[in-house]
Amino acid sequence: MDVSIRKVRKEFDRFPALRDVSLDIRSGELIALLGPSGSGKTTLLRLIAGLERPTAGAIYFGDEDASHKTVQERNVGFVFQHYALFRHMTVADNIGFGLKVRPGATRPTKTEIGRRASELLDLVQLSGLEKRYPAQLSGGQRQRVALARALAIEPKVLLLDEPFGALDAQVRRELRRWLREIHDATGHTTVFVTHDQEEALELADRVVVMSQGQIEQIGTADDIYDTPNSPFVYGFIGESSSLPVRIGNGELWIADRTIGLPAPDVADGDATLFFRPQDVELLDGCGGCIAGTVAATRRVAGTRRVELEIGGERQRVEIELPVGHPASQQSRVAFRPRRYRVFPARAA
Amino acid sequence: MALEATSALPDRSASANLSGVRKGRYISATTESPATKAVLIGTALIFLLLFLVLPLAAVFVEALRKGAGEFLASFGDPDTQAAIRLTLLVAVIAVPLNMVFGIAAAWAIAKFEFKGKAFLTTLIDLPFSVSPVISGLVYVLLFGAGSVLGPWLKSHGIEILFAVPGIVLATIFVTFPFVARELIPLMQDQGTGDEEAALSLGASGWQAFWYVTLPNIKWGLLYGVLLCNARAMGEFGAVSVVSGHIRGFTNTMPLHVEILYNEYNFVAAFAVSTLLAGLALVTLVLKSFLEYRYGDEIAASKKH
Amino acid sequence: MSDAALARGWHFRRPSVIPGFGLTLGFTIAYLTLIILIPLSGVVWRTTGLGWTEFWAIATDERTVKSLQISFGASLIAALVNVVFGVVVAWVLVRYRFPGRRIVDAVVDLPFALPTAVAGIALAAIYAPNGWVGQLLAPLGIKVAFTPLGIVVALIFIGLPFVVRTVQPVMEEIDREVEEVAATLGASRLQTVTRVVMPGLAPAVLTGFALAFARAVGEYGSVIFIAGNIPYVSEIAPLLIIIRLEEFNYAGATAIAAIMLAISFLMLFVINLVQAWSRRRYGYGT
């Protein structure tokens, strides 16, 4: 089911949580809403589910305007961070709940519901746990049950709110892979909310980066990581270093020196240079490069991070070197970013 | 593939569509319709009005039925004044005793781990599950004519039953758990970290209690004392059994209300009741204030 | 307990640097024993002194049986009424915001604070045939005061806060997400409340019921003014104990008290079992 969000606005007591957000989700897609807390990602998810009502704008399921449909009518599967399982029901009853509450005419028989619950338990790899109560399950198992319960109603859209947020790192990685498999097997249009960029980039077909109630960028993991389109995305996704620069004659300047990087599309004036610490080439001499004194070095996993002080202002940037690289022993290092972006100072 | 089976299931959204899209009317998923809300609020208010508010109002209306003059005259009766004095005396003895007990019990139970703790807690709650009449009866059996202790004490000139000591004992019995029950969960929540820190800084046990524990529990303690006092002054059944109803000597205010009522002196009965109802109102106001203002510093449990 | 602790054998208490254990526990146990345990054991001691035949004669005496039936029957009805309305009151207080809510919340505690004798005469005044409510009911042929119905009314008054105050905190803890999930799964609001919310409250409601019931069975002060106290009709068991005492029939009083105590304790025991079971199974209780 395609889901189309058209100029949706949501205010809580006149505080805007979402500002005219538009987003088209294609049928069968796995989409991540990624952003810091307060970015409006959960609000957007709840609006799609019908748990909140938009202040303005419309949400379409396929060709149908779903904006005025109640939650019950929307037929969405929703999975919460803290599972929200029904504690007094067995695992099988939890999964069968959505079928059991259907009106008489469309309600499957008891045996049919039981059979469905078992099938779904197989799918989420929890066969044989039908009779258990939620209190007797681990966190990861509970989240699997919550997903099975959401899938039981054959939802048009599957919505997950920080689905792995309450789990420890090990289980989280496992479930992430497993969710991808389930998605590929069932083909549900799926939207999940996360503040964990690794999770979003690894799992989603497309990532929607949100900040302050607006969408900053929509794209694949490669798009988002390699060509961030705003200072926010640069800072939020992956590691980045930034340096205040000046644009003149289509070139970048630090103080009174050019650093050998062209910036043809940016207007003259103050700007900020963004690059990834690992995306740099080291240079020996310095005619057209960035040079700084080494302020500190740290060992980070398989690489070494070098913190440099640049220029008279002593601006600090980080670059990454291979562990054995001789440059980390020097007192002065010169480099030039291989890939970079420049944003006018106002935007930064 | 497991999920293929579902296509056979009827689609719920199809049936939902029959009801039509209700434009402009949107009810949150976790609340009821305004009509349902109104009915529920109305039901609750009418029920509370009939069973709780009307009786309270009736006390004051009945007391003033024959005018303020007769209402005030009721308090001129020396027996009434004696009853008021006795009630205050009983509370002044019973409440501090139970307060000291409550603090000691909470200290032992909340600050230490020992065998039989749960059992001890159950025993402390015991008076709550005993009928007030039985609470009085136990002292009649202990000190009455048929017992060993009663006649012996009597021969030494000590009267327990049908005298003030019996009334005090019965009152202590029924108000026994109030302070302890409030403090135990509160002090358990607070743990032992603060006291251990104080001790490590060189405080003595008493200093740790006085400067660290007591400030932490003061509002909870006040809360417990408040409830304990309300019950102590208002206790009827237990006191009735041991008092002997001697006017001017062993009559507390609640017992005096009964005597006046049975003598068809309704105005006086309700007049004395207004004092007790006033006490109840003050208790409720203070209790609500403590819950509102110091909610975190009194035990989470509101049960009694 | 760690293996090391086990190896050192049985310990009465876990070591602690905090002083005052002996003093406070000693005082607690001494005070408890003197004030509660010794007097209470007197009832047991006197009962065993009665001999089985005498005890059985008192226990099966028609007036005893009737009074127990009235006490437990009226308490049961009152506790059931309180469960229904107590849950409604708690729901309204927890879920809805309306003017005066804080006052209504405080009023619920009135029965805890108002002396029972005062409540008794006030209820009698209201529900008497010429009282505020009584005169409305009289034309309908309903008599409340001085009938068994009056007992139920007094016991409703006494028991209500037990239900509300037990259910209310649990209701406040209900996870809204659970209700939202039920809605996304297609459950109507009524289905969500009856199938998801209420079953979750069941242990608290059961506890509230038990507390209200136990309190009602032993209640004396508020009942005797409104009950009429007619033997075999509206005479409650606690009143019969007092009547026996006034006749200096200590054996009679003790036997009735022993029966009441036994039934009350049995009930509390059963409730504790149910709660322990609920905690083990569902991971929650009250």
Side-chain angles (χ1 to χ4, degrees), chain B residues 93-130:
Chain B
I93 301 171
V95 174
L97 280 175
N98 280 340
M99 185 178 95
V100 171
F101 161 75
I103 295 171
W107 184 269
I109 288 173
K111 303 288 180 193
F112 300 95
E113 290 300 325
F114 58 92
K115 299 271 189 312
K117 192 158 118 167
F119 183 62
L120 182 61
T121 316
T122 311
L123 285 183
I124 289 173
D125 274 350
L126 204 56
F128 276 141
S129 36
V130 173

Side-chain angles (χ1 to χ4, degrees), chain A residues 50 72 75 102 116 119 154, chain B residues 2-3 6 10 12 17 19 26:
Chain A
Q72 286 92 346
N75 200 25
R102 287 185 181 179
R116 277 289 291 146
E119 277 174 16
E154 274 300 286
Chain B
L3 279 212
T6 46
R12 173 165 53 78
N17 278 348
S19 63
Y26 182 90

Side-chain angles (χ1 to χ4, degrees), chain B residues 141-178:
Chain B
L141 295 182
L142 195 64
F143 297 111
S147 71
V148 187
L149 214 51
W152 183 81
L153 285 172
K154 202 174 189 121
S155 67
H156 288 74
I158 302 170
E159 295 273 357
I160 304 271
L161 229 44
F162 314 126
V164 175
I167 295 175
V168 173
L169 279 175
T171 304
I172 292 177
F173 187 105
V174 293
T175 59
F176 184 83
F178 278 97

Side-chain angles (χ1 to χ4, degrees), chain C residues 100-130:
Chain C
R101 188 186 68 91
R102 200 172 279 289
I103 295 171
V104 174
D105 194 18
V107 162
V108 169
D109 279 333
L110 187 67
F112 284 150
L114 193 68
T116 53
V118 176
I121 62 170
L123 286 168
I126 294 170
Y127 288 91
N130 60 349

Side-chain angles (χ1 to χ4, degrees), chain B:
Chain B
M1 180 59 245
L3 279 212
E4 279 163 9
T6 46
S7 51
L9 293 176
D11 182 7
R12 173 165 53 78
S13 60
S15 65
N17 278 348
L18 294 179
S19 63
V21 177
R22 284 168 292 177
K23 289 225 182 237
R25 208 165 61 83
Y26 182 90
I27 296 162
S28 155
T30 54
T31 191
E32 289 75 43
S33 69
T36 314
K37 251 186 211 181
V39 168
L40 287 176
I41 293 178
T43 307
L45 292 185
I46 289 171
F47 183 80
L48 293 175
L49 182 76
L50 279 182
F51 285 93
L52 303 191
V53 179
L54 279 188
L56 184 65
V59 171
F60 293 94
V61 172
E62 294 289 334
L64 293 165
R65 186 169 286 269
K66 297 203 175 136
E70 195 151 333
F71 169 75
L72 290 175
S74 311
F75 299 111
D77 179 3
D79 289 345
T80 302
Q81 291 173 353
I84 296 173
R85 277 196 301 274
L86 180 58
T87 295
L88 292 175
L89 175 69
V90 169
V92 162
I93 301 171
V95 174
L97 280 175
N98 280 340
M99 185 178 95
V100 171
F101 161 75
I103 295 171
W107 184 269
I109 288 173
K111 303 288 180 193
F112 300 95
E113 290 300 325
F114 58 92
K115 299 271 189 312
K117 192 158 118 167
F119 183 62
L120 182 61
T121 316
T122 311
L123 285 183
I124 289 173
D125 274 350
L126 204 56
F128 276 141
S129 36
V130 173
S131 168
V133 168
I134 297 177
S135 309
L137 170 74
V138 297
Y139 290 108
V140 173
L141 295 182
L142 195 64
F143 297 111
S147 71
V148 187
L149 214 51
W152 183 81
L153 285 172
K154 202 174 189 121
S155 67
H156 288 74
I158 302 170
E159 295 273 357
I160 304 271
L161 229 44
F162 314 126
V164 175
I167 295 175
V168 173
L169 279 175
T171 304
I172 292 177
F173 187 105
V174 293
T175 59
F176 184 83
F178 278 97
V179 178
R181 222 188 174 186
E182 180 59 32
L183 289 186
I184 291 171
L186 179 64
M187 283 168 69
Q188 268 170 342
D189 271 3
Q190 292 176 346
T192 55
D194 289 7
E195 285 76 15
E196 281 162 359
L199 293 172
S200 75
L201 294 169
S204 71
W206 281 109
Q207 285 171 325
F209 171 75
W210 193 255
Y211 293 111
V212 175
T213 312
L214 201 57
N216 277 341
I217 62 168
K218 60 176 187 280
W219 298 116
L221 181 64
L222 180 60
Y223 189 89
V225 165
L226 202 63
L227 298 179
C228 182
N229 179 62
R231 183 72 192 268
M233 289 192 170
E235 178 49 30
F236 178 73
V239 172
S240 175
V241 175
V242 295
S243 117
H245 305 275
I246 308 161
R247 293 185 95 152
F249 293 97
T250 63
N251 247 0
T252 62
M253 284 163 76
L255 297 179
H256 197 56
V257 167
E258 183 193 21
I259 289 181
L260 293 169
Y261 188 82
N262 287 343
E263 287 170 347
Y264 300 99
N265 191 351
F266 292 141
V267 168
F270 280 103
V272 176
S273 295
T274 57
L275 293 184
L276 292 167
L279 170 73
L281 286 177
V282 170
T283 305
L284 282 189
V285 169
L286 286 176
K287 181 176 177 295
S288 302
F289 174 75
L290 285 178
E291 282 167 6
Y292 169 66
R293 179 71 183 71
Y294 300 104
D296 307 335
E297 297 169 55
I298 56 180
S301 158
K302 281 182 171 181
K303 287 178 275 174
H304 308 294

